[in-house]
Amino acid sequence: MNMDINARHETVLDPTVLRLGDLYAQALLESLPAAQADAVADELDALEGAMDTVPGARDLLLGFLGRSEDRTRRLERVFAGRVSERVEALLGVLERHGRLTVLPAVIRSFRRRLNDKMGRVAMTLTTAVPLDAAELAEIRASLAASLGVEPMLQTRVDETLIGGAVLRVGDQVFDSSVKNQLEQLRKNIARKSQ
């Protein structure tokens, strides 16, 4: 079966596929000792990266190529001894149940569930200039102390901010940039002059 990339992405966004992926992710996370969870998450992330960068990997992993028996043998040949027993077992279970297409949803849900369990929160910090390691460590520590979570901080540089920073935590945005302050000042002056 030859599917185009847009059809694959639509499949991943299907609520039924997302729900199935979440169920498999939950079962996998519950079956793991806590000490192994991060390593399995890293392996799953690597599989997802391979699907995006290695030609033919998405079709192989998601089972679009060949009959079920052939896909099973191919999965065993490619992954035996190269991934943990847990990841290999997950791929086998998905293949046996004809659900390899939910693998991207499993990966996304597993990482989200693991981060929730570990109290980790993804955040994006945008600054006008790059920050050094000491500044980043200080910001991480401050965020951890004030929010009571482990910040998973990604950084970006946007020179148009002029100074200050913009922090995005989920759907919330905290904008202390000079650009934003100037915009607020402009709006206040415009309101007062009307």
Side-chain angles (χ1 to χ4, degrees), residues 3-21:
M3 299 179 70
D4 73 343
I5 193 159
N6 293 328
R8 283 191 293 260
H9 288 295
E10 288 173 16
T11 302
V12 171
L13 298 176
D14 179 90
T16 303
V17 171
L18 291 174
R19 180 72 183 129
L20 279 171

Side-chain angles (χ1 to χ4, degrees), residues 58-76:
R58 180 171 291 275
D59 289 335
L60 170 69
L61 286 172
L62 300 186
F64 297 132
L65 299 174
R67 297 177 312 193
S68 180
E69 307 84 41
D70 295 338
R71 287 192 309 261
T72 301
R73 279 194 295 276
R74 219 176 337 188
L75 285 172
E76 289 170 357

Side-chain angles (χ1 to χ4, degrees), residues 12-68:
V12 171
L13 298 176
D14 179 90
T16 303
V17 171
L18 291 174
R19 180 72 183 129
L20 279 171
D22 194 47
L23 290 172
Y24 281 103
Q26 179 181 0
L28 178 60
L29 186 57
E30 289 174 359
S31 75
L32 289 171
Q36 291 180 6
D38 279 318
V40 169
D42 292 343
E43 281 186 86
L44 292 174
D45 289 344
L47 282 176
E48 185 174 45
M51 285 189 283
D52 293 336
T53 59
V54 177
R58 180 171 291 275
D59 289 335
L60 170 69
L61 286 172
L62 300 186
F64 297 132
L65 299 174
R67 297 177 312 193
S68 180

Side-chain angles (χ1 to χ4, degrees), residues 62-175:
L62 300 186
F64 297 132
L65 299 174
R67 297 177 312 193
S68 180
E69 307 84 41
D70 295 338
R71 287 192 309 261
T72 301
R73 279 194 295 276
R74 219 176 337 188
L75 285 172
E76 289 170 357
R77 192 171 58 245
V78 170
F79 294 108
R82 291 185 177 94
V83 295
S84 68
E85 290 178 16
R86 300 290 181 150
V87 171
E88 190 175 350
L90 170 68
L91 293 171
V93 167
L94 291 173
E95 168 54 32
R96 281 191 301 282
H97 290 95
R99 293 185 171 156
L100 275 171
T101 56
V102 304
L103 181 60
V106 173
I107 294 168
R108 184 178 309 142
S109 181
F110 185 83
R111 180 58 80 176
R112 181 186 48 77
R113 282 180 168 278
L114 177 59
N115 288 340
D116 288 348
K117 182 178 179 178
M118 302 302 286
R120 299 175 188 152
V121 177
M123 303 176 189
T124 303
L125 180 67
T126 306
T127 57
V129 296
L131 301 174
D132 64 33
E135 291 169 321
L136 282 174
E138 185 178 328
I139 290 169
R140 275 192 184 92
S142 176
L143 288 169
S146 63
L147 300 175
V149 297
E150 180 184 336
M152 297 183 344
L153 196 60
Q154 291 184 325
T155 59
R156 292 182 42 222
V157 173
D158 179 355
E159 294 173 358
T160 66
L161 296 181
I162 304 169
V166 177
L167 178 67
R168 177 178 292 276
V169 181
D171 293 338
Q172 293 185 315
V173 176
F174 305 94
D175 191 341

